[in-house]
């Protein structure tokens, strides 16, 4: 039967691609899979759309295909196979310095052949996970370098999507008003630590820039609500990222140097002629170089130094399945030492010998170190043509260490240690699931996850220095906490996709979670339905109950008034109901409109009793948490709108808008705005590519993104109380009533790629916050003895050169 398909497919290919010899050129290799079973598909006809004469090929017995010697540029390809819906893969960029490898999935027709005409499935329109029906998007890594404002960072890229907001000094992802810490990061199908540099120090859940280079990431999924049953321990969304495999046929390398540092990537077969491959990427960066190039531009960020290492080894076998070994190592150091300009320093109260109050200058030295690692071993094996088993063992590690000292220049620059904090969290998890395609209309995925959770913290702090009336300060740092603990978490799920016909699909599933420390359990049902009413119009309705446990160390908190009692040991899971209605309109082959109204009801949110404090607004990871209770609630509702034109004839655009409301109920029983209730977000992104050179082999590209969003909410300062203690005191009764000024952000990218034979050069300029939009924060001005609102500007230009060979 396979030979017959091969003959039929050959007859449909009008022109073999191997006849094209235009130079410079590149190749597109790939594999075609059945989206439900994961099996490769032989004899699939692959054609390059809009090619004249027609360029095409067919997949071999292993589902693999090779389009050779394509002139450099952009391509859309279509796959056709008897009994399957056609699939279109858009915006493939072919260069001379690197071979392109893509994975294409196809969906089997439910109806018999010839009964119905089916519109092709387009990779840009649907997530990679076939069990998702709404509030999801496939993320192309190539977009992270093409889209203005992304800085090759997928976390900043997704803030261009509807319903997602971000900041300048922080790449935290707020989805529909939720806290960034309610997002789950996943890597290679497993929950992972936040893979960003300096995560949490500029706000819990965020960081500065991703530790995952665009050179190593594969296409990934981003979910903004009502996600399927396989995803647990998340309240707002899921970022399901994949590392790509290295090229298993030829060696390829890339070197990039620029204002942000140095990067090196290498990949290739472990042994020529064998299917095993490797992929390694290393980056080193220091913003001190940026400060030297652009004095004063990056401000305090000049003290940042970071590096990361990412690797993946892939080992396909003939009978035992495919094994993979992968990992990420992240090392960060932030140096914030005193300036010689003492007018920028703080002060504290001191009385002279006559009882008069005077101001004593005090400077600060601070160092922050962060080390992260995540790695795992994965395995996938087919048990038969319809079923595969996928398993993984993964370890996550995070350590934060902060030291600080106060410096007194009027006393021979004497130094007093003020802070020495170390917090370590790590876990080891095992996950396995069985995926079975029972028929063209029914696929099931069932799995379990077991996680061992561990933490250790050691916090030494100086008793409030600002209350100390004498010099030298009396006493020493106090050990506020020195604890360690561990627990286990178990979860299981089962979900099915049922296709009633080619136009009607239903998903349903159940996720169950158990936390051994306090014996809490959550049962979370999920369901969704999608109706392709007309070839260009589709409607979806999705529901999900979601739950999330807190960070392990939160459960082991002790307060000064309760001794050794673990005051938060019995915290329940925070929970949320998600409801999403989605309308999808394909105006043309290249233009799409999507509208999603949504409602989210959050409950059992940890709050402090008789207080405004709620973990929904938790921001400072150094803040010592009090005793919490699960009495808090929250509501998020709004509408997301997207208008997108895919890259065609050299240009593209993405327009998104969101109107929303985000509120929470605190420990007093009062409803308030959440910190990230911005109310509106509008994005306009567009770009253009021009072919240049005698053979049109070089590419000039430009991209601009503009964002207008409401400012963050904040707690106003009580000026009278602040002056009384000469430190900031907040008016908590008015928590988050007020809003910072609206933020208008503009980002710009300009790049030029030179393609030569088996070699490419790229020069690029990326500017984040082109017009210098400001961020605001409160501080205490000791010189004028009053609270003060100050502003800062993060304007980050990155100039780089990259060579691929």
């Amino acid at each position: 039967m396979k030979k017959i398909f091969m003959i039929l497919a050959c007859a449909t290919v009008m022109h073999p691609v191997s006849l094209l010899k235009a130079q410079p050129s590149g190749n597109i290799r790939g594999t075609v899979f059945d989206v439900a079973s994961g099996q490769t598909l032989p004899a699939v006809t692959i054609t390059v759309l809009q090619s004249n004469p027609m360029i095409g090929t067919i997949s071999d017995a292993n589902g693999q295909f090779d389009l050779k010697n394509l002139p450099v540029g952009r391509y859309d390809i279509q796959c056709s196979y008897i009994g399957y819906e056609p699939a279109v893969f858009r915006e493939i960029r072919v260069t001379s310095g690197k071979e392109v490898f893509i994975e294409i999935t196809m969906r089997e027709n439910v109806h018999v052949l010839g009964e119905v005409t089916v519109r092709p499935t387009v990779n840009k329109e649907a997530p990679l996970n076939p069990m998702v029906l709404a509030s999801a998007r496939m993320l192309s890594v190539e977009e992270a370098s093409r889209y203005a404002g992304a800085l090759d960072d997928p976390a900043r890229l997704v803030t261009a999507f509807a319903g997602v907001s971000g900041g300048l000094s922080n790449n935290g992802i707020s989805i529909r008003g939720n806290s960034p810490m309610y997002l789950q990061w996943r890597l290679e199908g497993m929950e992972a630590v936040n893979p960003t540099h300096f995560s949490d120090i500029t706000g819990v859940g965020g960081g500065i820039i991703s530790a995952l280079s665009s050179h190593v990431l594969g296409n990934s999924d981003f979910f903004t609500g009502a996600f399927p049953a396989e995803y647990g321990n998340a309240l707002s969304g899921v970022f399901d990222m994949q590392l790509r495999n290295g090229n298993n046929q030829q060696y390829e390398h890339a070197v990039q140097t620029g204002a942000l540092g140095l990067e090196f990537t290498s990949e290739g077969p472990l042994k020529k002629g064998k299917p095993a491959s490797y992929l390694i990427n290393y980056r080193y960066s220091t913003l001190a170089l940026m400060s030297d190039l652009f004095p004063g531009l990056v401000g305090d960020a000049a003290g940042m130094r970071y590096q990361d290492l990412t690797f993946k080894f892939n080992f396909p076998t003939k009978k035992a399945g495919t094994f993979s070994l992968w990992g990420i190592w992240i090392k960060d150091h932030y140096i914030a030492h005193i300036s010689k300009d003492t007018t920028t320093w703080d002060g504290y109260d001191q009385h002279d010998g006559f009882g008069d109050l005077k101001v004593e200058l005090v400077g600060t030295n601070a160092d922050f170190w962060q080390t992260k690692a995540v790695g795992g071993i994965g395995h996938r094996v087919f048990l038969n043509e319809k079923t595969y088993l996928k398993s993984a063992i993964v370890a996550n590690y995070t350590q934060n260490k902060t030291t600080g000292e106060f410096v007194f220049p009027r006393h021979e620059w004497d130094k007093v240690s003020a802070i020495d904090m170390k917090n370590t969290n790590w876990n080891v998890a095992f996950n396995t699931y069985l995926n079975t395609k029972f028929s063209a209309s029914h696929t099931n995925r069932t799995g379990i996850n077991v996680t061992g959770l561990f933490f250790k913290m050691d916090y030494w702090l100086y008793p409030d220095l600002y209350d100390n009336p004498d010099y030298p300060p009396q006493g020493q740092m106090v050990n506020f906490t020195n604890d360690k603990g561990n627990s286990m978490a178990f979860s299981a799920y089962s979900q099915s996709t049922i296709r009633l016909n080619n136009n009607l699909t239903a998903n349903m599933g159940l996720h169950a979670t158990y936390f051994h420390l306090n014996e809490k359990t959550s049962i979370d049902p999920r369901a969704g339905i999608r109706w392709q009413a007309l070839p260009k119009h589709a409607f979806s309705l999705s529901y999900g109950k979601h739950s999330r446990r807190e960070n392990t160390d939160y459960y082991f908190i002790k307060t000064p008034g309760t001794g050794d009692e673990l005051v938060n040991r019995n915290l329940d899971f925070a929970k949320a109901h998600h409801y999403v209605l989605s309308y999808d309109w394909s105006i043309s082959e290249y233009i799409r409109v999507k509208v999603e109204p949504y409602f989210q009801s959050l409950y059992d949110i940890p709050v402090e009793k008789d207080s405004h404090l709620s973990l929904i607004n938790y921001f400072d990871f150094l803040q010592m948490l009090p005793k919490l209770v699960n009495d808090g609630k929250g509501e998020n509702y709004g509408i997301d709108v997207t208008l997108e034109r895919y890259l065609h004839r050299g240009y593209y655009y993405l327009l998104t808008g969101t109107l929303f409301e985000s509120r929470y109920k605190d420990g007093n029983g009062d409803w308030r705005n959440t910190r990230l209730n911005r109310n509106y977000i509008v994005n306009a992104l567009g770009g253009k590519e021009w072919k240049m050179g005698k053979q049109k082999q070089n590419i000039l590209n430009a991209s601009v993104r503009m964002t207008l969003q409401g400012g963050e909410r904040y707690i106003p300062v009580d000026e009278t109380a602040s002056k009384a203690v000469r430190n900031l005191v907040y008016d908590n009764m008015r928590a988050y009533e007020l809003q910072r000024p609206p933020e208008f952000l503009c980002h710009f990218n300009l790049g030029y790629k030179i393609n030569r034979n088996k070699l490419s050069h790229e020069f690029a300029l990326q500017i984040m916050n082109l017009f210098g939009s400001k961020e605001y924060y409160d501080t205490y001005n000791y010189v004028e003895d009053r609270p003060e609102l100050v502003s800062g500007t993060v304007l980050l230009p990155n100039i780089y050169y990259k060579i691929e060979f």
Side-chain angles (χ1 to χ4, degrees):
M1 181 62 70
K2 289 183 178 180
K3 289 183 178 180
I4 293 175
F5 282 154
M6 296 280 280
I7 294 171
L8 290 173
C10 285
T12 67
V13 179
M14 299 175 61
H15 196 284
V17 70
S18 58
L19 294 180
L20 297 177
K21 298 298 182 181
Q23 293 294 331
S25 62
N27 303 333
I28 300 177
R29 287 198 303 118
T31 306
V32 186
F33 299 90
D34 180 298
V35 70
S37 69
Q39 285 283 358
T40 57
L41 298 176
V44 175
T45 302
I46 295 100
T47 55
V48 178
L49 298 179
Q50 289 88 43
S51 58
N52 187 18
M54 181 69 72
I55 301 173
T57 186
I58 60 171
S59 61
D60 62 18
N62 296 315
Q64 299 177 356
F65 65 90
D66 196 348
L67 295 165
K68 290 183 177 295
N69 301 319
L70 292 172
V72 296
R74 294 278 181 180
Y75 293 92
D76 297 339
I77 66 174
Q78 178 168 302
C79 296
S80 303
Y81 189 54
I82 296 176
Y84 280 72
E85 299 176 5
V88 174
F89 205 103
R90 297 201 185 280
E91 299 183 358
I92 305 170
R93 183 176 67 168
V94 174
T95 66
S96 58
K98 181 171 179 55
E99 189 172 64
V100 179
F101 185 87
I102 59 176
E103 294 183 347
I104 300 177
T105 58
M106 300 187 70
R107 188 166 59 178
E108 187 176 0
N109 279 320
V110 175
H111 289 96
V112 297
L113 186 66
E115 183 179 342
V116 63
T117 300
V118 180
R119 178 177 174 270
T121 301
V122 181
N123 68 305
K124 296 281 292 183
E125 295 180 358
L128 300 175
N129 190 323
M131 295 190 172
V132 181
L133 299 181
S135 287
R137 179 183 174 114
M138 188 273 287
L139 173 71
S140 164
V141 178
E142 188 265 336
E143 292 172 337
S145 58
R146 173 159 46 99
Y147 284 6
L151 289 178
D152 298 334
D153 182 351
R156 294 190 183 274
L157 168 63
V158 299
T159 59
F161 300 162
V164 185
S165 67
L168 292 171
S169 59
N170 185 314
N171 71 350
I173 301 171
S174 173
I175 301 174
R176 295 171 173 171
N178 283 291
S179 168
M181 73 176 182
Y182 287 163
L183 171 77
Q184 181 187 106
W185 296 87
R186 291 171 72 91
L187 199 57
E188 292 292 288
M190 296 287 287
E191 185 172 359
V193 296
N194 180 351
T196 60
H197 289 287
F198 303 99
S199 62
D200 295 339
I201 69 166
T202 56
V204 172
I208 302 300
I209 195 167
S210 174
L212 290 168
S213 167
S214 59
H215 289 102
V216 298
L217 273 177
N219 291 339
S220 305
D221 279 341
F222 182 69
F223 307 108
T224 56
F227 27 92
E230 66 183 275
Y231 301 104
N233 200 36
L235 283 190
S236 67
V238 177
F239 209 153
D240 194 0
M241 298 184 294
Q242 304 293 324
L243 297 176
R244 66 179 181 86
N245 295 326
N247 193 321
N248 62 4
Q249 294 191 5
Q250 63 186 39
Y251 296 102
E252 296 178 334
H253 314 284
V255 178
Q256 179 173 314
T257 182
L260 288 181
L262 179 68
E263 179 172 359
F264 172 75
T265 307
S266 180
E267 62 183 289
L270 288 175
K271 185 177 181 180
K272 276 285 190 179
K274 300 295 183 181
S277 66
Y278 76 90
L279 172 65
I280 298 176
N281 174 270
Y282 172 76
R283 299 190 300 179
Y284 175 81
S285 181
T286 171
L287 291 184
L289 175 60
M290 178 81 72
S291 181
D292 292 338
L293 292 174
F294 307 99
L297 188 62
V298 296
D300 293 339
M304 290 184 174
R305 291 156 175 79
Y306 60 87
Q307 54 186 315
D308 53 68
L309 174 70
T310 304
F311 65 87
K312 184 178 182 181
F313 295 88
N314 194 55
F315 305 94
T317 67
K318 291 184 178 180
K319 296 183 179 180
T322 300
F323 295 85
S324 63
L325 174 66
W326 56 273
I328 302 172
W329 172 77
I330 303 168
K331 185 70 173 180
D332 301 331
H333 184 197
Y334 176 58
I335 305 170
H337 288 185
I338 57 173
S339 166
K340 293 182 180 180
D341 180 7
T342 56
T343 62
T344 65
W345 292 13
D346 295 336
Y348 76 91
D349 289 344
Q350 186 190 43
H351 291 79
D352 61 18
F354 301 97
D356 295 323
L357 182 68
K358 68 178 183 178
V359 175
E360 174 69 49
L361 287 178
V362 54
T364 57
N365 289 336
D367 286 84
F368 173 82
W369 293 268
Q370 185 173 81
T371 302
K372 287 187 177 185
V374 54
I377 300 173
H379 177 236
R380 189 176 81 157
V381 60
F382 282 92
L383 305 182
N384 54 53
E385 290 188 355
K386 300 291 186 180
T387 304
Y388 68 84
L389 181 70
K390 188 172 183 180
S391 306
I393 298 176
V394 174
N396 286 276
Y397 174 87
T398 301
Q399 183 182 88
N400 296 319
K401 179 176 173 61
T402 304
T403 62
E405 59 187 5
F406 293 94
V407 182
F408 300 88
R410 293 178 180 171
H411 300 275
E412 299 181 352
W413 297 83
D414 193 13
K415 298 177 181 179
V416 175
S417 295
I419 181 173
D420 189 348
M421 304 174 67
K422 182 187 291 186
N423 187 321
T424 307
N425 281 269
W426 68 100
N427 66 66
V428 179
F430 169 75
N431 172 276
T432 186
Y433 70 79
L434 188 71
N435 189 96
T436 304
K437 179 183 177 181
F438 292 103
S439 66
S441 59
H442 181 204
T443 302
N444 177 268
R445 183 175 293 179
T446 299
I448 60 171
N449 189 83
V450 180
T451 305
L453 304 160
F454 309 88
F455 92 96
K456 184 177 181 180
M457 63 169 59
D458 189 9
Y459 286 6
W460 291 80
L461 300 169
Y462 197 91
D464 196 350
L465 182 65
Y466 292 98
D467 289 341
N468 201 311
D470 300 312
Y471 180 85
Q474 303 298 309
Q476 297 178 341
M477 289 191 299
V478 175
N479 192 196
F480 273 64
T481 181
N482 186 3
D483 290 310
K484 60 182 179 180
N486 62 83
S487 189
M488 298 284 292
F490 305 87
S491 62
Y493 67 87
S494 184
Q495 61 187 29
S496 285
T497 295
I498 300 174
R499 301 182 62 207
L500 304 176
N501 54 52
N502 280 337
N503 297 322
L504 192 60
T505 303
N507 285 349
M508 57 191 70
L510 195 69
H511 187 105
T513 304
Y514 173 77
F515 188 34
H516 179 65
L517 178 68
N518 54 24
E519 299 182 345
K520 300 292 185 180
T521 302
S522 183
I523 307 296
D524 303 334
R526 319 280 172 85
I529 189 167
R530 177 181 172 87
W531 175 39
Q532 190 74 43
L534 294 169
K536 294 185 177 183
H537 301 269
F539 298 87
S540 300
L541 179 63
S542 297
Y543 162 77
K545 180 193 170 192
H546 307 280
S547 58
R548 179 187 181 274
R549 67 176 181 274
E550 306 305 329
N551 291 345
T552 307
D553 52 306
Y554 293 6
Y555 296 95
F556 290 86
I557 286 174
K558 301 173 184 177
T559 61
T562 55
D564 290 333
E565 179 187 356
L566 303 181
V567 295
N568 292 329
R569 179 189 179 100
N570 291 316
L571 278 180
D572 203 347
F573 295 95
K575 306 178 184 71
H577 296 290
H578 288 195
Y579 306 86
V580 180
L581 176 65
S582 181
Y583 167 63
D584 212 323
W585 175 22
S586 297
I587 298 175
S588 70
E589 285 186 71
Y590 303 98
I591 302 177
R592 175 193 183 200
V593 170
K594 189 170 186 178
V595 181
E596 284 196 344
Y598 65 87
F599 177 77
Q600 300 176 349
S601 175
L602 288 71
Y603 61 104
D604 287 346
I605 304 298
V607 296
E608 183 181 21
K609 197 170 183 62
D610 301 322
S611 166
H612 74 287
L613 190 148
S614 169
L615 286 192
I616 277 182
N617 303 305
Y618 189 42
F619 183 75
D620 184 358
F621 85 108
L622 291 177
Q623 178 183 352
M624 303 294 288
L625 288 174
K627 180 179 180 179
L628 301 170
V629 293
N630 289 105
D631 291 343
K633 294 184 178 181
E635 285 185 352
N636 304 313
Y637 54 90
I639 184 168
D640 298 337
V641 180
T642 300
L643 171 63
E644 181 175 14
R645 175 193 162 93
Y646 308 136
L647 201 162
H648 178 59
R649 294 182 177 175
Y651 74 96
Y652 61 91
Y653 56 77
L654 174 65
L655 308 177
T656 64
T658 299
L659 294 175
F660 69 101
E661 190 74 18
S662 178
R663 303 165 64 241
Y664 79 100
K665 184 179 179 181
D666 65 15
N668 290 311
D670 297 325
W671 282 93
R672 303 178 182 273
N673 295 302
T674 64
R675 180 175 63 87
L676 294 170
N677 184 20
R678 296 179 180 271
N679 296 128
Y680 63 91
I681 311 166
V682 180
N683 283 287
L685 182 148
K688 172 70 175 170
E689 293 186 346
W690 296 269
K691 294 182 179 180
M692 307 185 76
K694 292 182 179 180
Q695 296 178 298
K696 302 297 182 183
Q697 77 277 19
N698 302 328
I699 303 295
L700 175 67
N701 67 82
S703 175
V704 177
R705 174 184 164 191
M706 291 178 287
T707 299
L708 178 64
Q709 60 185 16
E712 288 188 9
R713 304 279 175 168
Y714 67 97
I715 305 176
V717 172
D718 186 327
E719 187 167 347
T720 301
S722 297
K723 286 183 175 181
V725 298
R726 303 196 67 249
N727 203 356
L728 290 179
V729 176
Y730 294 95
D731 185 359
N732 293 323
M733 296 300 294
R734 301 178 61 202
Y736 309 112
E737 283 184 8
L738 304 178
Q739 195 170 12
R740 298 295 186 197
E743 298 174 2
F744 176 72
L745 311 176
C746 183
H747 314 299
F748 176 71
N749 280 10
L750 181 66
Y752 187 63
K753 197 172 191 73
I754 303 171
N755 289 290
R756 296 291 183 262
N757 186 26
K758 296 185 179 180
L759 177 72
S760 68
H761 306 268
E762 184 175 359
F763 300 87
L765 169 65
Q766 301 171 323
I767 302 179
M768 186 178 74
N769 193 20
L770 181 63
F771 298 145
S773 180
K774 297 179 179 180
E775 293 183 320
Y776 297 87
Y777 59 95
D778 293 298
T779 188
Y780 197 89
N781 187 326
Y782 290 96
V783 176
E784 299 183 11
D785 196 20
R786 63 177 178 82
E788 183 179 26
L789 178 66
V790 298
S791 63
T793 298
V794 178
L795 197 164
L796 186 61
N798 180 30
I799 303 172
Y800 72 81
Y801 163 73
K802 178 168 65 176
I803 181 171
E804 294 179 320
F805 56 97

